[in-house]
Amino acid sequence: TAGRPWFRFTGHAGHKLADFCVPWYSCGAVATLWSNSTMPSSVGVVSQITIYAHTRPNVCDAYSFRGSVMRCSNVANDFIYRYDDEYSEGGVYGFCGMNA
């Protein structure tokens, strides 16, 4: 995972990674990425999460990938995220954000 970029949701994308199955063909992608993993409560601690790919109708967790999340401050939903796995399947994946 060294050298992989961290990212944050802001603006119209929302404030955090979606924690529910997002319909496919949403978020500017064919396969939508989301996670219902528990987010960290301590600032500065990197936690592992499972990221799911909704790739076809009624299959919200067709594929799962490893990711990381870190809380940046005590402000609600102040997280940064990193995708830790290689893309193993073809297709257009997109992370989906949400307002909390």
Side-chain angles (χ1 to χ4, degrees):
T1 61
R4 292 192 186 265
W6 289 89
F7 64 93
R8 171 188 313 265
F9 291 95
T10 62
H12 293 294
H15 301 99
K16 65 180 244 178
L17 179 61
D19 60 6
F20 58 92
C21 180
V22 179
W24 59 323
Y25 286 94
S26 298
C27 309
V30 174
T32 56
L33 300 176
W34 62 282
S35 178
N36 61 0
S37 295
T38 302
M39 296 296 127
S41 57
S42 299
V43 174
V45 175
V46 176
S47 299
Q48 297 297 303
I49 60 173
T50 300
I51 299 167
Y52 297 103
H54 186 186
T55 58
R56 54 188 179 264
N58 304 315
V59 185
C60 289
D61 56 357
Y63 300 103
S64 64
F65 308 95
R66 292 177 302 134
S68 297
V69 61
M70 183 174 67
R71 177 178 285 281
C72 297
S73 73
N74 286 319
V75 173
N77 301 309
D78 186 14
F79 299 112
I80 57 175
Y81 305 89
R82 182 178 64 205
Y83 186 81
D84 293 340
D85 277 338
E86 296 291 332
Y87 287 110
S88 59
E89 300 290 329
V92 181
Y93 295 100
F95 284 93
C96 292
M98 63 181 273
N99 288 312

